[in-house]
Amino acid sequence: MQFLTQSALRTTGGMGKFTKMLFMALTLIGTTLWGTFAVYFGDSHNSIMQTCVAIVFGLCGLATLIGLVFPRWRKRCLTGYAILFAAILTWWFLISPSNDRQWQTDVAKLAYATFDGEKVTVHNIRNFDYRSEFDYQPAYYTKTYDLNKLEGVDLIAVYWMGPAIAHTILSFNFGGNEHLAISIEARKELSEGYSTIKGFFRQFELIYIVADERDVIRLRTNYRKEPPEEVYLYRLQGPLENARRLFMEYMKRINELNATPAFYNTLLDNCTTAIWLNTRINPTHLPFSWKILLSGYVPEYLYESGRLDKQVPFSELQKQAHINDRAHAADLSADFSARIRAPLK
């Protein structure tokens, strides 16, 4: 019996050491990958020095991983690695977002709002005249909206790479053809393309593009071809007071970004998670769900939660919500917003 007990203890101790080593190895791999990418991408721009430092850090991580196998070197390797990683982490947190960069034309101007009681004046509402996706005439306007006339909120879901991922936009309905769309995006500099990976590493500032629907929706339905985008418009269900609070929260956040820029983050602060964060202003906001991370399933999540019309099955509602053909037919019409909604009940 004593022999069996000692054997069991040795087995348990061996499993404990293995688990500890496995945890250290996985932590090393994760932090090395993160640190290498963080240094490589750097503060908005890459350089030869950054690339060299990224390679050196990656090699240090690999050497430390190998050093785990040798008890004599393990502690020294881990200590050296921890010091180097702490230095990179400190540098990382010192990177600051900025509104003062050479921006691409479509994100050059930030919107902002001013308030007079129940009336909100929104400045720099984008309304570009497109000839193609990248050929357009910039234009902006200022408009005053009466909160008492707010009739509801629509969700626009844009798909281009399968059902799991979508770009989501909210549009606030002030009656008739008065809709104000707000698209939360990565603010790109001149000659800079969007990258999902770069979006994890403080490469883009965050921007709330406040736009006329003839701009932000028509761009996606009528002019983006590579790849083409499929656009769906859903009417959200809920108390008007929630819609008013959400609109004011958006305006507050837009003004904050004018004063204090923030970084876009592919996972934590993107077009969909930011919407969810803003909806927390309402006491009946939806709980977080994995379907918010896989943004293409947000309409389905809203349907399941009773925030979309449930008089028809979701598959039928989705067909009704598809607006590409209506947007093509409406195109330059002044009543574009009304026409893309015409068949919606």
Side-chain angles (χ1 to χ4, degrees):
M1 179 66 70
Q2 184 178 5
F3 172 78
L4 291 174
T5 302
Q6 291 175 346
S7 177
L9 287 172
R10 284 196 297 270
T11 301
T12 303
M15 286 298 295
K17 289 180 180 179
F18 174 78
T19 302
K20 182 179 178 180
M21 291 287 289
L22 180 62
F23 175 77
M24 286 193 295
L26 292 175
T27 301
L28 267 171
I29 293 170
T31 55
T32 299
L33 287 173
W34 179 88
T36 300
F37 279 116
V39 174
Y40 175 76
F41 289 125
D43 183 5
S44 186
H45 296 287
N46 180 260
S47 68
I48 296 176
M49 178 62 73
Q50 287 170 217
T51 301
C52 292
V53 174
I55 292 172
V56 169
F57 179 71
L59 292 175
C60 286
L62 179 60
T64 304
L65 186 64
I66 295 172
L68 292 179
V69 181
F70 305 97
R72 180 179 176 183
W73 296 101
R74 187 181 304 154
K75 186 175 181 179
R76 294 178 184 177
C77 289
L78 287 172
T79 301
Y81 177 84
I83 293 171
L84 186 57
F85 182 73
I88 289 175
L89 202 60
T90 300
W91 163 80
W92 166 261
F93 282 113
L94 290 176
I95 298 175
S96 299
S98 174
N99 282 333
D100 186 20
R101 303 189 194 276
Q102 295 297 312
W103 303 110
Q104 293 184 12
T105 305
D106 58 334
V107 292
K109 287 190 178 184
L110 292 175
Y112 65 96
T114 53
F115 308 93
D116 181 14
E118 295 295 300
K119 294 186 177 180
V120 181
T121 300
V122 185
H123 306 261
N124 292 336
I125 300 171
R126 200 180 78 183
N127 189 26
F128 285 15
D129 181 18
Y130 293 91
R131 292 176 287 271
S132 67
E133 180 179 357
F134 302 108
D135 181 13
Y136 46 73
Q137 180 62 46
Y140 296 86
Y141 64 85
T142 295
K143 191 173 183 65
T144 299
Y145 298 90
D146 188 343
L147 283 176
N148 295 311
K149 294 183 178 179
L150 183 59
E151 296 182 0
V153 186
D154 296 328
L155 174 79
I156 296 99
V158 184
Y159 297 82
W160 68 96
M161 56 179 298
I165 301 298
H167 177 66
T168 51
I169 301 169
L170 288 189
S171 185
F172 294 87
N173 176 8
F174 286 90
N177 202 44
E178 302 294 333
H179 295 79
L180 186 67
I182 304 179
S183 176
I184 302 171
E185 301 183 19
R187 195 179 188 190
K188 299 186 292 294
E189 298 176 58
L190 289 175
S191 303
E192 183 177 39
Y194 177 75
S195 162
T196 300
I197 294 176
K198 288 174 66 175
F200 286 102
F201 295 98
R202 298 190 167 195
Q203 291 298 291
F204 307 112
E205 273 75 12
L206 184 70
I207 184 172
Y208 281 49
I209 296 176
V210 183
D212 194 295
E213 288 189 339
R214 287 170 296 184
D215 177 324
V216 76
I217 293 179
R218 194 163 61 96
L219 167 64
R220 291 165 166 83
T221 55
N222 295 22
Y223 294 102
R224 286 196 174 161
K225 308 295 184 182
E226 297 180 2
E229 298 185 352
E230 301 301 324
V231 182
Y232 298 79
L233 189 152
Y234 299 92
R235 289 184 177 174
L236 299 177
Q237 309 288 313
L240 281 179
E241 186 55 39
N242 284 356
R244 294 188 184 103
R245 276 194 293 260
L246 181 58
F247 179 77
M248 291 301 291
E249 186 68 11
Y250 261 71
M251 295 301 107
K252 175 184 173 184
R253 183 61 176 142
I254 285 166
N255 283 350
E256 286 176 350
L257 289 172
N258 269 269
T260 309
F263 283 116
Y264 172 93
N265 185 280
T266 298
L267 181 65
L268 302 177
D269 204 351
N270 58 41
C271 66
T272 307
T273 55
I275 291 177
W276 180 80
L277 288 169
N278 284 317
T279 62
R280 293 188 304 166
I281 192 68
N282 289 319
T284 56
H285 71 86
L286 292 178
F288 194 78
S289 166
W290 63 269
K291 290 184 178 180
I292 293 173
L293 295 179
L294 293 180
S295 51
Y297 299 115
V298 165
E300 183 180 355
Y301 179 45
L302 292 170
Y303 182 84
E304 294 166 351
S305 304
R307 303 302 172 93
L308 297 180
D309 183 6
K310 299 194 75 170
Q311 296 183 34
V312 296
F314 179 71
S315 58
E316 180 60 30
L317 182 66
Q318 191 176 43
K319 290 178 183 178
Q320 294 176 11
H322 189 245
I323 63 170
N324 283 64
D325 289 342
R326 283 168 265 168
H328 277 259
D331 198 28
L332 294 172
S333 300
D335 61 346
F336 177 86
S337 292
R339 290 183 64 177
I340 62 175
R341 289 170 172 82
L344 298 180
K345 297 180 180 179

